[in-house]
């Protein structure tokens, strides 16, 4: 893992924005009602989204650490995790392209935890300041999401808490542009992202990346 992992994760976040529009579009719409009237949206939007990214970084460090423990116990453990990650990222590409929706079933994994922490977010509403939007975003960052879970398998295969956190930081920052544009009323970006051709293109890019990941895992296993 190196700086390229961060950049690659950032690109995956950008490509995954087509999923964010469908998954989080309603959330972004509801978010606007929590902002005080006549207040600028941008500070609240930035605080919320950076809170969301922080939750991704925490999750990435946890999964990266778990991957390290697995690799210490299993022969070629990292190679196995890299292969699993490649499979999930390929499925993510199919999901984003709209060619297969089975990945949505994975979102059920985090529903119990989500139902436990979600009520805490209501205590922060309505926002009194942008600082209140930061912990709100940290809570909503744990919303069950097949896109996030798929990238977490990559952080799992990183083999360390630090690298897992770096990967999820890159991914989270990659999702920022579209989320911020949606929240600030740039509707044209939503129309562009929801175009079927755009979805297929983004999905194909993800599948190409996943294929490379799988190839590397297979090559490492036969060396």
């Amino acid at each position: 893992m190196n700086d390229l992992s961060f950049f690659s994760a950032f690109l995956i976040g950008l490509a995954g924005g087509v999923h964010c529009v469908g998954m989080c579009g309603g959330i972004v719409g509801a978010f606007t009602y929590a902002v005080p009237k006549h207040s600028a949206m941008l500070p609240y939007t930035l605080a919320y989204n950076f809170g969301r990214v922080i939750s991704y970084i925490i999750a990435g460090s946890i999964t990266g650490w778990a991957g390290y423990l697995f690799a210490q116990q299993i022969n070629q453990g990292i190679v196995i995790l890299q292969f699993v990650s490649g499979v999930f990222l390929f499925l993510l590409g199919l999901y984003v392209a709209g060619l297969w929706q089975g990945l949505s079933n994975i979102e059920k994994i985090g529903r119990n935890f989500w139902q436990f922490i979600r009520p805490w977010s209501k205590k922060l509403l309505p926002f009194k300041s942008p600082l209140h939007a930061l912990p709100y975003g940290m809570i909503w960052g744990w919303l069950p999401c097949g896109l996030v879970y798929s990238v977490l398998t990559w952080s799992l295969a990183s083999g360390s808490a630090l690298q897992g956190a770096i990967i999820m930081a890159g991914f989270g920052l990659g999702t920022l542009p579209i989320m911020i544009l949606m929240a600030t009323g740039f509707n044209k970006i939503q129309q562009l992202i929801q175009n079927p051709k755009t979805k297929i293109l983004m999905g194909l890019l993800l599948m190409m990346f996943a294929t490379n990941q799988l190839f590397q895992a297979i090559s490492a296993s036969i060396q």
Side-chain angles (χ1 to χ4, degrees):
M1 291 290 169
N2 46 43
D3 293 340
L4 185 59
S5 297
F6 176 87
F7 182 68
S8 299
F10 181 85
L11 293 179
I12 289 177
L14 282 176
V18 298
H19 174 72
C20 294
V21 169
M23 180 77 173
C24 302
I27 297 172
V28 171
F31 175 83
T32 60
Y33 292 101
V35 176
K37 291 183 179 180
H38 310 299
S39 296
M41 278 293 299
L42 187 58
Y44 291 88
T45 301
L46 289 174
Y48 165 80
N49 280 287
F50 278 114
R52 183 173 56 83
V53 173
I54 289 172
S55 70
Y56 293 166
I57 293 173
I58 294 172
S61 64
I62 293 173
T63 53
W65 177 69
Y68 166 78
L69 294 179
F70 180 83
Q72 295 299 307
Q73 301 296 323
I74 305 295
N75 184 37
Q76 287 195 322
I78 289 296
V79 174
I80 295 172
L81 292 177
Q82 288 176 342
F83 183 82
V84 171
S85 172
V87 170
F88 270 89
L89 290 175
F90 191 88
L91 294 177
L92 173 61
L94 292 174
Y95 186 45
V96 167
L99 302 175
W100 182 71
Q101 299 300 313
L103 197 60
S104 59
N105 294 325
I106 300 176
E107 295 172 359
K108 298 177 182 178
I109 295 174
R111 285 184 182 176
N112 289 335
F113 179 67
W114 171 240
Q115 293 300 325
F116 174 74
I117 66 171
R118 181 180 180 182
W120 291 91
S121 67
K122 297 179 180 180
K123 298 181 180 181
L124 299 167
L125 300 175
F127 301 135
K128 297 179 181 178
S129 72
L131 287 178
H132 287 77
L134 181 68
Y136 185 82
M138 291 178 67
I139 293 173
W140 276 86
W142 297 94
L143 175 73
C145 174
L147 171 63
V148 175
Y149 292 165
S150 296
V151 182
L152 278 174
T153 63
W154 188 18
S155 66
L156 184 70
S158 69
S160 78
L162 176 60
Q163 290 298 331
I166 289 173
I167 287 172
M168 291 308 293
F171 165 75
L173 292 174
T175 65
L176 284 183
I178 289 176
M179 292 294 291
I180 291 174
L181 286 172
M182 282 198 302
T184 51
F186 196 77
N187 295 326
K188 288 186 177 180
I189 190 66
Q190 186 167 344
Q191 296 172 4
L192 173 63
I193 293 299
Q194 289 183 323
N195 187 297
K197 293 182 180 179
T198 302
K199 291 182 178 181
I200 292 175
L201 176 60
M202 294 298 101
L204 287 174
L205 290 175
L206 287 171
M207 284 185 276
M208 288 173 61
F209 178 84
T211 300
N212 179 64
Q213 179 97 341
L214 288 168
F215 177 77
Q216 291 182 357
I218 294 172
S219 298
S221 68
I222 60 179
Q223 287 180 355

